[in-house]
Structures are given as C-alpha cells and as structure tokens.
Amino acid sequence: MSIIIKSPREIALIREAGDILRETLKVLKAHTRPGISTDELGKLAGRYIRSRGAIPSCKGYGGFQGDICVSVNEVLVHGVPSKKVILKEGDIVSYDILVTYKGYTADACRTYGVGEIAPNAQKLIDVTKECFFEAVKLVKPGTHLGDIGERIQTIAESNGYTVTEEFAGHGVGREVHEDPYVFNVGQAGTGAVLKKGMVIAIEPMINEGKVELVTLDDGWTTRSKDGKLTCHYENTVAVTESGYDILTLREGDE
Ligand code: MF3
Ligand code: CO
C-alpha cells in the first residue's frame, strides 16, 4: 500500500474542487422538497458542476449512470438517480458527490431531511455527523487508521446502530479512490499511520437496523435488507502539521 503525500498546491486544488462541491450541496438543499425526483436532483447537480467548469466524476465511474449518487431512506449508498423515485415529506436523502476540477477530486456526502422528519430519522442524521466530527478530531500525524474506525464504531454502536463494513472511506486526490481504505470500524493502534499531506475521505455509513445490505437490479443502488433507515456523511480531509483541514466544509456550512 502506498499512500500519496500531496503538496500544499495540490491540497489547494482539492479545496477548489471542494468549494464547487459545497456550492452544489447548497443548490441541492434548496431543491430538496416533496415531489421532486432523484433524477431531477441528479441532473440539477450535474448541470451546476459543469457550469463551474468541473466534472461530476460519479458519472461513468465503474459504469455508474448518474452525475451524483442520490440515496433515499433505506438506500445507504450509490443510489442511481431515477425518475421513479420521488421525494416525499418525512424522507431522508443523501447526496454523495465527486467533483473533479483542474485534475483533482473532492468527495463529500450529506444527508438531509425532506420537510418534517421523525425524531428517529433526525437522531440517525445527528449521530452519523457526530461519528464524523468526533473521528476527524483524531486526525493528525501519528494517528492510526484504526483509531478513526474505532471511534466511529463506538459512537454508532453505543447509540444502538450498526456500521457497514462493506464500504469504506479512502484516499482521494488525482484519483477518486486512492490508498488507504478508511474503515468505519477498527481497533485503536492498528492500521496505517497518518502523515502530513495525506488526503482522506472519512465517510461513516450507519444503519438504524441490521447491517445486512442488498443491491438492486440496477447493479448499484444498495439498501438495508430490513428496510430500516440508513445514513451517510462524508468530507475530504487533509492531514496537517498538527491536525486536520476539512477541504469540503467551511465556517457557516451546515
Ligand atoms: N463518494 C463515493 C465513494 O466514496 C463515490 C461513489 S462512486 C459512484 O465511493 F460511482 F458510485 F458514483
Ligand atoms: Co468517498
């Protein structure tokens, strides 16, 4: 395994991609309402990203058809945008977006409520975010990847949730997926050690119910087998001299 160290210039370029991604999320949030299809949302995001001179890199990745992934309720990841999936009041919807700009990619995901959502749905969103923000606090040179995984797993499981192990975070930069895998489970003190200049996507994927997943006939859309809610939250993070720098989030963002 070789983890690429990025220069300050490369990290600045990933942040430029991250800014376009952040603004795409704002556009999507403004359109997240009952009656809109996930196909419309995906196209809206793709148009916006291209209008900024960037590439929505989910499109064509391993044959993926959408410009971004749009995953509703029990769909955990890789929701293929569809004219048949229409948002309704009380749903939760995640937008997982890859933006490539000047050759560098940023990766982030947010889950939003559609109108009023049930307390259990809000709690799942809150805990998934907490998993990310508690884990990212550990990021600095010398931290083991297992420290991050253990923190996410502990917070999720102490809230009665399960943690998906089939998908993980990853290095990101010139490629969409680089070394290392950043698992959402693990044991502190194990795994690769972070160094200044590494850039990783940390992305907790948390289930309200059982951990088993199934993939739909489209070959991508992956949902909980028991139909219970699932949630995903992700940012691209650079390791700095003494800590971390989140490249897909700025002060005042949600
Ligand atoms: N953000 C997702 C990831 O980290 C991207 C999914 S690739 C796609 O893997 F092809 F499904 F879009
Ligand atoms: Co990712």
Side-chain angles (χ1 to χ4, degrees), residues 78 96-98 106-109 168-172 176-177 200-203 205 232 234-236:
H78 300 165
D96 189 357
I97 306 176
L98 291 167
D107 187 0
C109 175
H170 49 89
V172 57
V176 164
H177 290 133
I200 54 173
I202 301 176
E203 46 181 317
M205 288 164 258
H232 186 191
E234 173 180 25
N235 280 303
T236 297

PDB file of all heavy atoms in Angstrom, residues 78 96-98 106-109 168-172 176-177 200-203 205 232 234-236, ligand 2:
ATOM      1  N   HIS A  78     -24.824   4.753  -3.238  1.00  0.00           N
ATOM      2  CA  HIS A  78     -24.837   4.503  -4.678  1.00  0.00           C
ATOM      3  C   HIS A  78     -26.234   4.482  -5.277  1.00  0.00           C
ATOM      4  O   HIS A  78     -26.495   3.753  -6.246  1.00  0.00           O
ATOM      5  CB  HIS A  78     -24.100   3.193  -5.012  1.00  0.00           C
ATOM      6  CG  HIS A  78     -22.659   3.213  -4.588  1.00  0.00           C
ATOM      7  ND1 HIS A  78     -21.891   2.075  -4.511  1.00  0.00           N
ATOM      8  CD2 HIS A  78     -21.853   4.230  -4.213  1.00  0.00           C
ATOM      9  CE1 HIS A  78     -20.662   2.401  -4.105  1.00  0.00           C
ATOM     10  NE2 HIS A  78     -20.617   3.691  -3.898  1.00  0.00           N
ATOM     11  N   ASP A  96     -24.256  12.112  -2.499  1.00  0.00           N
ATOM     12  CA  ASP A  96     -22.836  11.756  -2.445  1.00  0.00           C
ATOM     13  C   ASP A  96     -22.227  12.213  -3.767  1.00  0.00           C
ATOM     14  O   ASP A  96     -22.643  11.763  -4.839  1.00  0.00           O
ATOM     15  CB  ASP A  96     -22.693  10.242  -2.255  1.00  0.00           C
ATOM     16  CG  ASP A  96     -21.266   9.818  -1.977  1.00  0.00           C
ATOM     17  OD1 ASP A  96     -20.357  10.676  -1.987  1.00  0.00           O
ATOM     18  OD2 ASP A  96     -21.055   8.611  -1.760  1.00  0.00           O
ATOM     19  N   ILE A  97     -21.257  13.120  -3.669  1.00  0.00           N
ATOM     20  CA  ILE A  97     -20.815  13.872  -4.850  1.00  0.00           C
ATOM     21  C   ILE A  97     -19.303  13.821  -4.997  1.00  0.00           C
ATOM     22  O   ILE A  97     -18.569  14.024  -4.027  1.00  0.00           O
ATOM     23  CB  ILE A  97     -21.253  15.355  -4.711  1.00  0.00           C
ATOM     24  CG1 ILE A  97     -22.764  15.441  -4.451  1.00  0.00           C
ATOM     25  CG2 ILE A  97     -20.854  16.153  -5.941  1.00  0.00           C
ATOM     26  CD1 ILE A  97     -23.268  16.852  -4.201  1.00  0.00           C
ATOM     27  N   LEU A  98     -18.864  13.558  -6.221  1.00  0.00           N
ATOM     28  CA  LEU A  98     -17.447  13.674  -6.578  1.00  0.00           C
ATOM     29  C   LEU A  98     -17.324  14.830  -7.559  1.00  0.00           C
ATOM     30  O   LEU A  98     -17.992  14.822  -8.605  1.00  0.00           O
ATOM     31  CB  LEU A  98     -16.970  12.389  -7.273  1.00  0.00           C
ATOM     32  CG  LEU A  98     -16.887  11.127  -6.426  1.00  0.00           C
ATOM     33  CD1 LEU A  98     -16.721   9.902  -7.336  1.00  0.00           C
ATOM     34  CD2 LEU A  98     -15.729  11.212  -5.444  1.00  0.00           C
ATOM     35  N   ALA A 106     -12.549  16.176  -5.126  1.00  0.00           N
ATOM     36  CA  ALA A 106     -13.066  16.249  -3.760  1.00  0.00           C
ATOM     37  C   ALA A 106     -14.300  15.356  -3.673  1.00  0.00           C
ATOM     38  O   ALA A 106     -15.030  15.185  -4.652  1.00  0.00           O
ATOM     39  CB  ALA A 106     -13.440  17.680  -3.390  1.00  0.00           C
ATOM     40  N   ASP A 107     -14.521  14.784  -2.497  1.00  0.00           N
ATOM     41  CA  ASP A 107     -15.599  13.812  -2.282  1.00  0.00           C
ATOM     42  C   ASP A 107     -16.317  14.174  -0.984  1.00  0.00           C
ATOM     43  O   ASP A 107     -15.668  14.321   0.054  1.00  0.00           O
ATOM     44  CB  ASP A 107     -14.953  12.419  -2.178  1.00  0.00           C
ATOM     45  CG  ASP A 107     -15.946  11.276  -2.116  1.00  0.00           C
ATOM     46  OD1 ASP A 107     -17.158  11.524  -2.147  1.00  0.00           O
ATOM     47  OD2 ASP A 107     -15.472  10.123  -2.035  1.00  0.00           O
ATOM     48  N   ALA A 108     -17.627  14.353  -1.052  1.00  0.00           N
ATOM     49  CA  ALA A 108     -18.379  14.611   0.180  1.00  0.00           C
ATOM     50  C   ALA A 108     -19.808  14.128   0.021  1.00  0.00           C
ATOM     51  O   ALA A 108     -20.313  13.981  -1.099  1.00  0.00           O
ATOM     52  CB  ALA A 108     -18.374  16.102   0.539  1.00  0.00           C
ATOM     53  N   CYS A 109     -20.440  13.892   1.166  1.00  0.00           N
ATOM     54  CA  CYS A 109     -21.838  13.447   1.187  1.00  0.00           C
ATOM     55  C   CYS A 109     -22.549  14.092   2.367  1.00  0.00           C
ATOM     56  O   CYS A 109     -21.973  14.235   3.445  1.00  0.00           O
ATOM     57  CB  CYS A 109     -21.885  11.923   1.306  1.00  0.00           C
ATOM     58  SG  CYS A 109     -23.552  11.261   1.476  1.00  0.00           S
ATOM     59  N   ALA A 168     -16.125   1.762   2.600  1.00  0.00           N
ATOM     60  CA  ALA A 168     -15.211   2.476   3.500  1.00  0.00           C
ATOM     61  C   ALA A 168     -14.799   3.793   2.870  1.00  0.00           C
ATOM     62  O   ALA A 168     -14.977   4.006   1.663  1.00  0.00           O
ATOM     63  CB  ALA A 168     -13.977   1.621   3.762  1.00  0.00           C
ATOM     64  N   GLY A 169     -14.226   4.664   3.692  1.00  0.00           N
ATOM     65  CA  GLY A 169     -13.567   5.853   3.168  1.00  0.00           C
ATOM     66  C   GLY A 169     -12.264   5.459   2.489  1.00  0.00           C
ATOM     67  O   GLY A 169     -11.918   4.273   2.420  1.00  0.00           O
ATOM     68  N   HIS A 170     -11.535   6.464   2.005  1.00  0.00           N
ATOM     69  CA  HIS A 170     -10.407   6.188   1.107  1.00  0.00           C
ATOM     70  C   HIS A 170      -9.561   7.430   0.907  1.00  0.00           C
ATOM     71  O   HIS A 170     -10.034   8.549   1.119  1.00  0.00           O
ATOM     72  CB  HIS A 170     -10.986   5.747  -0.253  1.00  0.00           C
ATOM     73  CG  HIS A 170     -12.057   6.675  -0.737  1.00  0.00           C
ATOM     74  ND1 HIS A 170     -11.777   7.778  -1.502  1.00  0.00           N
ATOM     75  CD2 HIS A 170     -13.391   6.733  -0.472  1.00  0.00           C
ATOM     76  CE1 HIS A 170     -12.917   8.447  -1.713  1.00  0.00           C
ATOM     77  NE2 HIS A 170     -13.910   7.841  -1.090  1.00  0.00           N
ATOM     78  N   GLY A 171      -8.347   7.220   0.424  1.00  0.00           N
ATOM     79  CA  GLY A 171      -7.551   8.343  -0.054  1.00  0.00           C
ATOM     80  C   GLY A 171      -8.222   8.931  -1.288  1.00  0.00           C
ATOM     81  O   GLY A 171      -8.948   8.247  -2.006  1.00  0.00           O
ATOM     82  N   VAL A 172      -7.978  10.236  -1.533  1.00  0.00           N
ATOM     83  CA  VAL A 172      -8.593  10.895  -2.692  1.00  0.00           C
ATOM     84  C   VAL A 172      -7.675  12.026  -3.153  1.00  0.00           C
ATOM     85  O   VAL A 172      -6.941  12.597  -2.347  1.00  0.00           O
ATOM     86  CB  VAL A 172     -10.029  11.389  -2.346  1.00  0.00           C
ATOM     87  CG1 VAL A 172     -10.046  12.326  -1.154  1.00  0.00           C
ATOM     88  CG2 VAL A 172     -10.724  12.034  -3.539  1.00  0.00           C
ATOM     89  N   VAL A 176     -10.092   9.150  -7.818  1.00  0.00           N
ATOM     90  CA  VAL A 176     -11.274   9.159  -6.959  1.00  0.00           C
ATOM     91  C   VAL A 176     -11.039   8.279  -5.729  1.00  0.00           C
ATOM     92  O   VAL A 176     -11.433   8.634  -4.613  1.00  0.00           O
ATOM     93  CB  VAL A 176     -12.481   8.658  -7.772  1.00  0.00           C
ATOM     94  CG1 VAL A 176     -13.637   8.273  -6.885  1.00  0.00           C
ATOM     95  CG2 VAL A 176     -12.890   9.698  -8.796  1.00  0.00           C
ATOM     96  N   HIS A 177     -10.453   7.142  -5.943  1.00  0.00           N
ATOM     97  CA  HIS A 177     -10.158   6.224  -4.841  1.00  0.00           C
ATOM     98  C   HIS A 177      -8.675   5.903  -4.851  1.00  0.00           C
ATOM     99  O   HIS A 177      -8.172   5.301  -5.796  1.00  0.00           O
ATOM    100  CB  HIS A 177     -10.968   4.923  -4.961  1.00  0.00           C
ATOM    101  CG  HIS A 177     -12.424   5.122  -4.710  1.00  0.00           C
ATOM    102  ND1 HIS A 177     -13.402   4.602  -5.518  1.00  0.00           N
ATOM    103  CD2 HIS A 177     -13.080   5.805  -3.746  1.00  0.00           C
ATOM    104  CE1 HIS A 177     -14.585   4.958  -5.057  1.00  0.00           C
ATOM    105  NE2 HIS A 177     -14.413   5.693  -3.978  1.00  0.00           N
ATOM    106  N   ILE A 200      -7.647  12.203   2.898  1.00  0.00           N
ATOM    107  CA  ILE A 200      -8.546  11.041   3.002  1.00  0.00           C
ATOM    108  C   ILE A 200     -10.000  11.498   3.084  1.00  0.00           C
ATOM    109  O   ILE A 200     -10.292  12.563   3.630  1.00  0.00           O
ATOM    110  CB  ILE A 200      -8.222  10.160   4.245  1.00  0.00           C
ATOM    111  CG1 ILE A 200      -8.219  10.986   5.546  1.00  0.00           C
ATOM    112  CG2 ILE A 200      -6.889   9.433   4.047  1.00  0.00           C
ATOM    113  CD1 ILE A 200      -8.083  10.151   6.813  1.00  0.00           C
ATOM    114  N   ALA A 201     -10.872  10.669   2.519  1.00  0.00           N
ATOM    115  CA  ALA A 201     -12.311  10.854   2.691  1.00  0.00           C
ATOM    116  C   ALA A 201     -12.737   9.974   3.864  1.00  0.00           C
ATOM    117  O   ALA A 201     -12.504   8.769   3.844  1.00  0.00           O
ATOM    118  CB  ALA A 201     -13.057  10.456   1.426  1.00  0.00           C
ATOM    119  N   ILE A 202     -13.309  10.623   4.886  1.00  0.00           N
ATOM    120  CA  ILE A 202     -13.849   9.886   6.040  1.00  0.00           C
ATOM    121  C   ILE A 202     -15.358   9.894   5.867  1.00  0.00           C
ATOM    122  O   ILE A 202     -15.962  10.969   5.736  1.00  0.00           O
ATOM    123  CB  ILE A 202     -13.437  10.561   7.367  1.00  0.00           C
ATOM    124  CG1 ILE A 202     -11.911  10.617   7.487  1.00  0.00           C
ATOM    125  CG2 ILE A 202     -14.059   9.831   8.556  1.00  0.00           C
ATOM    126  CD1 ILE A 202     -11.402  11.352   8.734  1.00  0.00           C
ATOM    127  N   GLU A 203     -15.974   8.707   5.845  1.00  0.00           N
ATOM    128  CA  GLU A 203     -17.395   8.650   5.484  1.00  0.00           C
ATOM    129  C   GLU A 203     -18.174   7.591   6.258  1.00  0.00           C
ATOM    130  O   GLU A 203     -18.404   6.499   5.758  1.00  0.00           O
ATOM    131  CB  GLU A 203     -17.568   8.462   3.980  1.00  0.00           C
ATOM    132  CG  GLU A 203     -16.729   7.413   3.292  1.00  0.00           C
ATOM    133  CD  GLU A 203     -17.022   7.388   1.789  1.00  0.00           C
ATOM    134  OE1 GLU A 203     -18.198   7.453   1.405  1.00  0.00           O
ATOM    135  OE2 GLU A 203     -16.073   7.290   0.999  1.00  0.00           O
ATOM    136  N   MET A 205     -21.009   5.319   7.435  1.00  0.00           N
ATOM    137  CA  MET A 205     -22.244   4.796   6.827  1.00  0.00           C
ATOM    138  C   MET A 205     -22.923   3.966   7.902  1.00  0.00           C
ATOM    139  O   MET A 205     -22.406   2.926   8.309  1.00  0.00           O
ATOM    140  CB  MET A 205     -21.901   3.946   5.597  1.00  0.00           C
ATOM    141  CG  MET A 205     -21.426   4.788   4.428  1.00  0.00           C
ATOM    142  SD  MET A 205     -20.595   3.839   3.149  1.00  0.00           S
ATOM    143  CE  MET A 205     -18.886   4.209   3.518  1.00  0.00           C
ATOM    144  N   HIS A 232     -25.471   8.520   5.742  1.00  0.00           N
ATOM    145  CA  HIS A 232     -24.104   8.656   5.225  1.00  0.00           C
ATOM    146  C   HIS A 232     -23.707  10.120   5.348  1.00  0.00           C
ATOM    147  O   HIS A 232     -24.499  11.003   5.005  1.00  0.00           O
ATOM    148  CB  HIS A 232     -24.129   8.213   3.756  1.00  0.00           C
ATOM    149  CG  HIS A 232     -22.811   8.142   3.065  1.00  0.00           C
ATOM    150  ND1 HIS A 232     -22.732   7.978   1.702  1.00  0.00           N
ATOM    151  CD2 HIS A 232     -21.538   8.208   3.507  1.00  0.00           C
ATOM    152  CE1 HIS A 232     -21.447   7.933   1.348  1.00  0.00           C
ATOM    153  NE2 HIS A 232     -20.700   8.084   2.424  1.00  0.00           N
ATOM    154  N   GLU A 234     -19.969  12.541   4.808  1.00  0.00           N
ATOM    155  CA  GLU A 234     -18.582  12.410   4.337  1.00  0.00           C
ATOM    156  C   GLU A 234     -17.949  13.760   4.053  1.00  0.00           C
ATOM    157  O   GLU A 234     -18.605  14.663   3.536  1.00  0.00           O
ATOM    158  CB  GLU A 234     -18.577  11.591   3.034  1.00  0.00           C
ATOM    159  CG  GLU A 234     -17.229  11.518   2.336  1.00  0.00           C
ATOM    160  CD  GLU A 234     -17.261  10.692   1.049  1.00  0.00           C
ATOM    161  OE1 GLU A 234     -18.343  10.566   0.446  1.00  0.00           O
ATOM    162  OE2 GLU A 234     -16.202  10.187   0.654  1.00  0.00           O
ATOM    163  N   ASN A 235     -16.668  13.863   4.391  1.00  0.00           N
ATOM    164  CA  ASN A 235     -15.860  15.003   3.953  1.00  0.00           C
ATOM    165  C   ASN A 235     -14.481  14.523   3.531  1.00  0.00           C
ATOM    166  O   ASN A 235     -14.009  13.465   3.985  1.00  0.00           O
ATOM    167  CB  ASN A 235     -15.679  16.016   5.087  1.00  0.00           C
ATOM    168  CG  ASN A 235     -16.896  16.910   5.268  1.00  0.00           C
ATOM    169  OD1 ASN A 235     -17.320  17.596   4.323  1.00  0.00           O
ATOM    170  ND2 ASN A 235     -17.460  16.899   6.463  1.00  0.00           N
ATOM    171  N   THR A 236     -13.838  15.341   2.692  1.00  0.00           N
ATOM    172  CA  THR A 236     -12.446  15.134   2.297  1.00  0.00           C
ATOM    173  C   THR A 236     -11.564  15.944   3.247  1.00  0.00           C
ATOM    174  O   THR A 236     -11.800  17.134   3.441  1.00  0.00           O
ATOM    175  CB  THR A 236     -12.250  15.598   0.837  1.00  0.00           C
ATOM    176  OG1 THR A 236     -13.057  14.780  -0.013  1.00  0.00           O
ATOM    177  CG2 THR A 236     -10.796  15.499   0.409  1.00  0.00           C
TER     178      THR A 236
HETATM  179 CO    CO B   2     -15.985   8.615  -0.732  1.00  0.00          CO
END
